[in-house]
Coordinates of all heavy atoms in Angstrom, one line a residue:
G138 N 16.6 9.5 1.5 CA 17.0 10.1 2.8 C 15.9 10.1 3.8 O 15.9 11.0 4.7
L139 N 15.0 9.2 3.7 CA 13.8 9.2 4.6 C 13.7 8.0 5.5 O 12.7 7.8 6.2 CB 12.5 9.3 3.7 CG 12.4 10.4 2.7 CD1 11.1 10.2 1.9 CD2 12.4 11.8 3.3
E140 N 14.8 7.3 5.6 CA 14.7 6.0 6.3 C 14.4 6.1 7.8 O 13.8 5.2 8.4 CB 16.0 5.2 6.1 CG 17.2 5.7 6.8 CD 17.9 6.8 5.9 OE1 17.4 7.3 4.9 OE2 19.1 7.0 6.2
D141 N 14.7 7.3 8.4 CA 14.4 7.5 9.8 C 13.2 8.4 10.1 O 13.0 8.8 11.2 CB 15.7 8.0 10.5 CG 16.1 9.4 9.9 OD1 15.6 9.7 8.8 OD2 16.9 10.1 10.6
C142 N 12.4 8.6 9.1 CA 11.2 9.5 9.2 C 10.0 8.7 9.6 O 9.0 9.3 9.9 CB 11.0 10.2 7.9 SG 12.3 11.4 7.5
F143 N 10.1 7.4 9.6 CA 8.9 6.6 9.8 C 9.0 5.6 11.0 O 10.1 5.0 11.2 CB 8.5 5.8 8.6 CG 8.3 6.7 7.4 CD1 9.3 7.0 6.5 CD2 7.0 7.3 7.2 CE1 9.1 7.8 5.4 CE2 6.8 8.1 6.1 CZ 7.8 8.4 5.2
E144 N 8.0 5.4 11.7 CA 8.0 4.5 12.9 C 8.1 3.1 12.5 O 8.7 2.3 13.2 CB 6.7 4.8 13.7 CG 6.5 3.9 14.9 CD 5.1 4.1 15.6 OE1 4.8 5.2 15.8 OE2 4.5 3.1 15.8
G145 N 7.4 2.7 11.4 CA 7.4 1.4 11.0 C 7.0 1.2 9.5 O 6.6 2.1 8.9
I146 N 7.1 -0.1 9.0 CA 6.8 -0.4 7.6 C 5.9 -1.6 7.6 O 6.2 -2.6 8.2 CB 8.1 -0.7 6.8 CG1 9.0 0.5 6.7 CG2 7.7 -1.3 5.5 CD1 10.4 0.2 6.1
T147 N 4.8 -1.5 7.0 CA 3.9 -2.6 6.7 C 4.0 -2.9 5.2 O 3.7 -2.0 4.3 CB 2.4 -2.3 7.0 OG1 2.3 -2.1 8.4 CG2 1.5 -3.5 6.6
C148 N 4.6 -4.0 4.8 CA 4.9 -4.3 3.4 C 4.4 -5.7 3.0 O 3.6 -6.3 3.8 CB 6.4 -4.2 3.2 SG 7.4 -5.3 4.3
F149 N 4.8 -6.2 1.9 CA 4.3 -7.5 1.4 C 4.5 -8.6 2.4 O 3.6 -9.3 2.7 CB 5.0 -7.8 0.1 CG 4.6 -9.1 -0.5 CD1 3.4 -9.2 -1.3 CD2 5.3 -10.3 -0.2 CE1 3.0 -10.4 -1.8 CE2 4.9 -11.5 -0.7 CZ 3.7 -11.6 -1.5
E150 N 5.7 -8.7 3.0 CA 6.0 -9.8 3.9 C 5.2 -9.7 5.2 O 4.9 -10.7 5.8 CB 7.5 -9.8 4.3 CG 8.4 -10.2 3.1 CD 8.9 -8.9 2.4 OE1 8.2 -7.9 2.4 OE2 10.0 -9.0 1.8
T151 N 4.8 -8.5 5.6 CA 4.0 -8.3 6.8 C 2.6 -9.1 6.7 O 2.2 -9.7 7.6 CB 3.7 -6.8 7.0 OG1 4.9 -6.1 6.9 CG2 3.1 -6.6 8.4
L152 N 2.0 -9.0 5.5 CA 0.7 -9.6 5.3 C 0.7 -10.9 4.6 O -0.3 -11.6 4.6 CB -0.1 -8.6 4.4 CG -0.3 -7.2 4.9 CD1 -1.2 -6.4 3.9 CD2 -0.8 -7.1 6.3
N153 N 1.9 -11.4 4.1 CA 2.0 -12.6 3.4 C 3.2 -13.4 3.9 O 4.3 -12.9 3.8 CB 2.1 -12.4 1.9 CG 0.9 -11.7 1.3 OD1 -0.1 -12.3 1.0 ND2 1.0 -10.4 1.2
P154 N 3.0 -14.7 4.3 CA 4.2 -15.5 4.7 C 5.1 -15.7 3.4 O 4.6 -15.7 2.3 CB 3.6 -16.8 5.2 CG 2.3 -16.8 4.5 CD 1.8 -15.4 4.4
I155 N 6.4 -15.8 3.6 CA 7.3 -16.1 2.5 C 6.9 -17.4 1.9 O 6.7 -18.4 2.6 CB 8.7 -16.1 3.0 CG1 9.2 -14.8 3.5 CG2 9.7 -16.6 1.9 CD1 9.1 -13.7 2.5
H156 N 6.7 -17.4 0.6 CA 6.2 -18.6 -0.2 C 7.3 -19.1 -1.0 O 7.9 -18.4 -1.9 CB 5.0 -18.1 -1.0 CG 4.4 -19.2 -1.8 ND1 3.6 -20.2 -1.3 CD2 4.5 -19.6 -3.1 CE1 3.2 -21.0 -2.2 NE2 3.7 -20.7 -3.4
K157 N 7.7 -20.4 -0.8 CA 8.8 -21.0 -1.5 C 8.4 -21.9 -2.6 O 9.2 -22.7 -3.1 CB 9.7 -21.8 -0.5 CG 10.3 -20.9 0.6 CD 11.3 -20.0 0.0 CE 12.0 -19.2 1.0 NZ 12.9 -18.2 0.5
G158 N 7.1 -21.9 -3.0 CA 6.6 -22.8 -4.0 C 6.1 -24.1 -3.3 O 6.9 -24.7 -2.5
T159 N 4.9 -24.5 -3.5 CA 4.3 -25.6 -2.7 C 3.7 -26.6 -3.6 O 3.2 -26.3 -4.7 CB 3.2 -25.0 -1.8 OG1 2.3 -24.2 -2.5 CG2 3.8 -24.1 -0.7
V160 N 3.7 -27.8 -3.1 CA 3.0 -28.9 -3.7 C 2.3 -29.8 -2.6 O 2.7 -29.7 -1.5 CB 3.9 -29.8 -4.5 CG1 4.5 -29.1 -5.7 CG2 5.1 -30.4 -3.6
Y161 N 1.3 -30.5 -3.0 CA 0.7 -31.5 -2.0 C 1.5 -32.8 -2.0 O 1.8 -33.3 -3.1 CB -0.7 -31.8 -2.4 CG -1.6 -30.6 -2.3 CD1 -2.3 -30.1 -3.4 CD2 -1.8 -30.0 -1.1 CE1 -3.2 -29.0 -3.3 CE2 -2.7 -28.9 -1.0 CZ -3.3 -28.4 -2.1 OH -4.2 -27.3 -2.0
D162 N 1.9 -33.3 -0.9 CA 2.6 -34.5 -0.8 C 1.8 -35.7 -1.3 O 2.2 -36.5 -2.1 CB 3.0 -34.8 0.7 CG 4.2 -34.0 1.1 OD1 5.0 -33.5 0.2 OD2 4.3 -33.7 2.3
D163 N 0.6 -35.8 -0.8 CA -0.3 -36.8 -1.3 C -1.8 -36.4 -0.9 O -2.0 -35.4 -0.3 CB 0.1 -38.2 -0.7 CG 0.2 -38.1 0.9 OD1 -0.6 -37.4 1.5 OD2 1.2 -38.6 1.4
E164 N -2.7 -37.3 -1.2 CA -4.1 -37.0 -0.9 C -4.3 -36.8 0.6 O -5.2 -36.0 1.0 CB -5.0 -38.1 -1.5 CG -5.2 -38.0 -3.0 CD -5.9 -36.7 -3.4 OE1 -6.9 -36.3 -2.7 OE2 -5.4 -36.0 -4.3
E165 N -3.6 -37.6 1.4 CA -3.8 -37.6 2.8 C -3.5 -36.2 3.4 O -4.1 -35.7 4.3 CB -2.9 -38.6 3.5 CG -3.7 -39.7 4.1 CD -2.8 -40.7 4.9 OE1 -1.7 -40.3 5.3 OE2 -3.2 -41.8 5.0
N166 N -2.4 -35.6 2.8 CA -1.9 -34.3 3.3 C -2.4 -33.1 2.5 O -1.8 -32.0 2.6 CB -0.4 -34.3 3.3 CG 0.2 -35.3 4.3 OD1 -0.4 -35.6 5.3 ND2 1.3 -36.0 3.9
K167 N -3.5 -33.3 1.8 CA -3.9 -32.2 0.9 C -4.4 -31.0 1.6 O -4.4 -29.9 1.1 CB -5.0 -32.8 -0.1 CG -5.2 -31.9 -1.3 CD -6.1 -32.6 -2.3 CE -6.2 -31.7 -3.5 NZ -7.0 -32.3 -4.6
G168 N -4.7 -31.1 2.9 CA -5.2 -30.0 3.7 C -4.0 -29.1 4.1 O -4.2 -28.0 4.5
S169 N -2.8 -29.5 4.0 CA -1.7 -28.7 4.4 C -0.7 -28.6 3.3 O -0.6 -29.4 2.4 CB -1.0 -29.3 5.6 OG -0.5 -30.6 5.3
M170 N 0.1 -27.5 3.3 CA 1.0 -27.2 2.2 C 2.4 -27.7 2.6 O 2.9 -27.3 3.7 CB 1.0 -25.8 1.8 CG -0.4 -25.2 1.5 SD -1.1 -26.0 0.0 CE -0.3 -24.9 -1.3
A171 N 3.1 -28.4 1.8 CA 4.5 -28.8 2.1 C 5.4 -28.1 1.2 O 5.2 -27.8 0.0 CB 4.6 -30.3 1.8
T172 N 6.6 -27.7 1.8 CA 7.6 -27.0 1.0 C 8.2 -27.8 0.0 O 8.7 -29.0 0.2 CB 8.7 -26.4 2.0 OG1 8.0 -25.6 2.9 CG2 9.7 -25.6 1.2
D173 N 8.4 -27.3 -1.2 CA 9.0 -28.0 -2.3 C 10.4 -27.4 -2.5 O 10.6 -26.3 -2.7 CB 8.2 -27.8 -3.6 CG 8.8 -28.5 -4.8 OD1 9.8 -29.2 -4.6 OD2 8.2 -28.4 -5.9
P174 N 11.5 -28.3 -2.3 CA 12.9 -27.7 -2.4 C 13.2 -27.2 -3.8 O 14.1 -26.5 -4.0 CB 13.7 -28.9 -2.1 CG 12.9 -30.1 -2.4 CD 11.5 -29.7 -2.1
T175 N 12.4 -27.6 -4.8 CA 12.6 -27.1 -6.2 C 11.3 -26.4 -6.6 O 10.5 -27.1 -7.2 CB 13.0 -28.2 -7.1 OG1 12.0 -29.2 -7.1 CG2 14.3 -28.8 -6.8
P176 N 11.2 -25.1 -6.3 CA 9.9 -24.4 -6.7 C 9.5 -24.6 -8.1 O 10.4 -24.6 -9.0 CB 10.2 -23.0 -6.3 CG 11.3 -23.1 -5.3 CD 12.1 -24.3 -5.7
K177 N 8.2 -24.6 -8.4 CA 7.7 -24.7 -9.7 C 8.0 -23.4 -10.5 O 8.1 -22.4 -9.9 CB 6.2 -24.9 -9.7 CG 5.8 -26.2 -9.1 CD 4.2 -26.2 -9.1 CE 3.7 -27.5 -8.3 NZ 2.2 -27.5 -8.3
T178 N 8.2 -23.6 -11.8 CA 8.2 -22.4 -12.6 C 6.9 -22.5 -13.5 O 5.8 -22.3 -13.0 CB 9.5 -22.4 -13.5 OG1 9.6 -23.7 -14.1 CG2 10.7 -22.2 -12.6
A179 N 7.1 -22.8 -14.8 CA 5.9 -22.9 -15.6 C 5.1 -24.2 -15.2 O 5.6 -25.2 -15.0 CB 6.3 -22.9 -17.1
L180 N 3.8 -24.0 -15.2 CA 2.9 -25.2 -14.9 C 2.3 -25.6 -16.2 O 2.4 -24.9 -17.3 CB 1.8 -24.8 -14.0 CG 2.2 -24.2 -12.6 CD1 1.0 -23.9 -11.7 CD2 3.1 -25.2 -11.9
K181 N 1.7 -26.8 -16.2 CA 1.0 -27.3 -17.4 C -0.2 -26.3 -17.7 O -0.8 -25.8 -16.8 CB 0.4 -28.7 -17.1 CG 1.5 -29.7 -16.9 CD 0.9 -31.1 -16.6 CE 1.9 -32.1 -16.4 NZ 1.3 -33.4 -16.1
C182 N -0.4 -26.1 -19.0 CA -1.4 -25.2 -19.4 C -2.8 -25.5 -18.9 O -3.6 -24.7 -18.6 CB -1.5 -25.1 -21.0 SG 0.0 -24.4 -21.7
S183 N -3.1 -26.8 -18.7 CA -4.4 -27.3 -18.2 C -4.6 -26.8 -16.7 O -5.7 -26.8 -16.3 CB -4.5 -28.8 -18.3 OG -3.5 -29.4 -17.5
E184 N -3.5 -26.5 -16.0 CA -3.6 -26.1 -14.6 C -3.8 -24.6 -14.4 O -4.0 -24.2 -13.3 CB -2.4 -26.6 -13.8 CG -2.2 -28.1 -13.8 CD -0.9 -28.5 -13.1 OE1 0.1 -27.7 -13.2 OE2 -0.8 -29.6 -12.6
I185 N -3.6 -23.9 -15.5 CA -3.7 -22.4 -15.4 C -5.0 -21.9 -15.9 O -5.5 -22.3 -17.0 CB -2.6 -21.8 -16.3 CG1 -1.2 -22.3 -15.8 CG2 -2.6 -20.3 -16.3 CD1 -0.8 -21.9 -14.4
F186 N -5.6 -21.0 -15.1 CA -6.9 -20.4 -15.5 C -6.5 -19.3 -16.6 O -5.7 -18.4 -16.4 CB -7.5 -19.7 -14.3 CG -8.8 -19.0 -14.7 CD1 -10.0 -19.6 -14.7 CD2 -8.8 -17.6 -15.0 CE1 -11.2 -19.0 -15.0 CE2 -9.9 -16.9 -15.2 CZ -11.2 -17.6 -15.2
D187 N -7.1 -19.5 -17.8 CA -6.8 -18.6 -18.9 C -7.6 -17.3 -18.8 O -8.8 -17.2 -19.2 CB -7.2 -19.3 -20.2 CG -6.6 -18.5 -21.4 OD1 -6.4 -17.3 -21.3 OD2 -6.5 -19.2 -22.5
I188 N -7.0 -16.3 -18.2 CA -7.7 -15.0 -17.9 C -7.9 -14.2 -19.2 O -8.9 -13.5 -19.3 CB -7.0 -14.2 -16.8 CG1 -7.9 -13.1 -16.3 CG2 -5.6 -13.7 -17.4 CD1 -7.3 -12.4 -15.0
I189 N -7.1 -14.4 -20.1 CA -7.3 -13.7 -21.4 C -8.5 -14.2 -22.1 O -9.3 -13.5 -22.6 CB -6.0 -13.8 -22.3 CG1 -4.8 -13.0 -21.7 CG2 -6.3 -13.3 -23.7 CD1 -3.5 -13.1 -22.4
Q190 N -8.6 -15.6 -22.2 CA -9.7 -16.2 -22.8 C -11.0 -15.8 -22.0 O -12.1 -15.6 -22.7 CB -9.5 -17.7 -22.8 CG -10.8 -18.5 -23.2 CD -11.1 -18.3 -24.7 OE1 -10.3 -17.9 -25.5 NE2 -12.4 -18.5 -25.0
H191 N -10.9 -15.8 -20.7 CA -12.1 -15.4 -19.9 C -12.7 -14.1 -20.3 O -13.9 -14.0 -20.5 CB -11.7 -15.4 -18.4 CG -12.7 -14.9 -17.5 ND1 -13.8 -15.7 -17.0 CD2 -12.9 -13.7 -16.9 CE1 -14.5 -15.0 -16.2 NE2 -14.0 -13.7 -16.2
F192 N -11.8 -13.1 -20.4 CA -12.3 -11.7 -20.7 C -12.5 -11.5 -22.2 O -13.0 -10.5 -22.6 CB -11.4 -10.7 -20.1 CG -11.5 -10.5 -18.7 CD1 -10.6 -11.0 -17.7 CD2 -12.6 -9.8 -18.2 CE1 -10.8 -10.9 -16.4 CE2 -12.8 -9.6 -16.8 CZ -11.9 -10.1 -15.9
S193 N -12.2 -12.5 -23.0 CA -12.4 -12.3 -24.5 C -13.9 -12.7 -24.8 O -14.4 -12.4 -25.9 CB -11.5 -13.2 -25.3 OG -11.7 -14.6 -25.1
Q194 N -14.5 -13.4 -23.9 CA -15.9 -13.7 -24.1 C -16.8 -12.5 -23.9 O -16.6 -11.7 -23.0 CB -16.3 -14.9 -23.1 CG -15.5 -16.1 -23.2 CD -15.8 -17.1 -22.1 OE1 -16.9 -17.2 -21.6 NE2 -14.8 -17.8 -21.7
P195 N -17.9 -12.5 -24.7 CA -18.9 -11.3 -24.6 C -19.5 -11.2 -23.2 O -19.6 -10.1 -22.6 CB -19.9 -11.7 -25.6 CG -19.3 -12.6 -26.6 CD -18.3 -13.4 -25.8
N196 N -19.9 -12.3 -22.6 CA -20.4 -12.4 -21.3 C -19.8 -13.5 -20.4 O -20.3 -14.6 -20.4 CB -22.0 -12.6 -21.3 CG -22.6 -11.4 -22.0 OD1 -22.6 -10.3 -21.6 ND2 -23.3 -11.7 -23.2
P197 N -18.6 -13.2 -19.8 CA -17.9 -14.3 -19.1 C -18.8 -14.8 -18.0 O -19.5 -14.1 -17.2 CB -16.7 -13.5 -18.5 CG -16.5 -12.3 -19.3 CD -17.9 -11.9 -19.8
T198 N -18.9 -16.1 -17.9 CA -19.8 -16.8 -16.9 C -18.9 -17.3 -15.7 O -19.4 -17.4 -14.6 CB -20.6 -17.9 -17.5 OG1 -19.7 -18.8 -18.2 CG2 -21.6 -17.4 -18.5
A199 N -17.7 -17.8 -16.0 CA -16.9 -18.3 -15.0 C -16.5 -17.3 -13.9 O -16.3 -16.1 -14.3 CB -15.6 -18.9 -15.6
V200 N -16.4 -17.7 -12.7 CA -16.0 -16.8 -11.6 C -14.5 -16.8 -11.6 O -13.8 -17.8 -11.7 CB -16.6 -17.3 -10.2 CG1 -16.0 -16.4 -9.1 CG2 -18.1 -17.3 -10.3
L201 N -13.9 -15.6 -11.4 CA -12.4 -15.5 -11.4 C -11.9 -16.2 -10.1 O -12.5 -16.1 -9.0 CB -12.0 -14.1 -11.3 CG -12.1 -13.3 -12.6 CD1 -11.7 -11.8 -12.3 CD2 -11.1 -13.8 -13.7
P202 N -10.8 -17.0 -10.2 CA -10.3 -17.7 -9.0 C -9.8 -16.6 -8.0 O -9.4 -15.5 -8.4 CB -9.2 -18.5 -9.6 CG -8.8 -17.9 -10.9 CD -10.1 -17.3 -11.4
R203 N -9.8 -17.0 -6.8 CA -9.3 -16.1 -5.7 C -7.8 -16.3 -5.6 O -7.2 -17.3 -5.9 CB -10.0 -16.5 -4.4 CG -11.5 -16.3 -4.4 CD -12.2 -16.6 -3.1 NE -11.7 -15.8 -2.0 CZ -12.1 -15.9 -0.7 NH1 -13.0 -16.8 -0.4 NH2 -11.6 -15.0 0.2

Side-chain angles (χ1 to χ4, degrees):
L139 306 176
E140 67 274 16
D141 59 344
C142 293
F143 300 94
E144 174 186 316
I146 294 170
T147 298
C148 57
F149 178 85
E150 293 93 333
T151 312
L152 304 183
N153 299 275
I155 295 300
H156 181 78
K157 296 294 183 184
T159 53
V160 293
Y161 293 121
D162 283 334
D163 50 43
E164 281 300 314
E165 247 183 26
N166 295 324
K167 198 168 182 178
S169 62
M170 304 296 275
T172 301
D173 181 0
T175 56
K177 297 178 185 179
T178 53
L180 302 183
K181 294 178 181 178
C182 293
S183 60
E184 297 175 332
I185 302 299
F186 179 85
D187 192 338
I188 194 167
I189 294 178
Q190 172 64 25
H191 173 80
F192 281 103
S193 69
Q194 301 171 32
N196 297 296
T198 54
V200 176
L201 285 175
R203 296 180 63 180

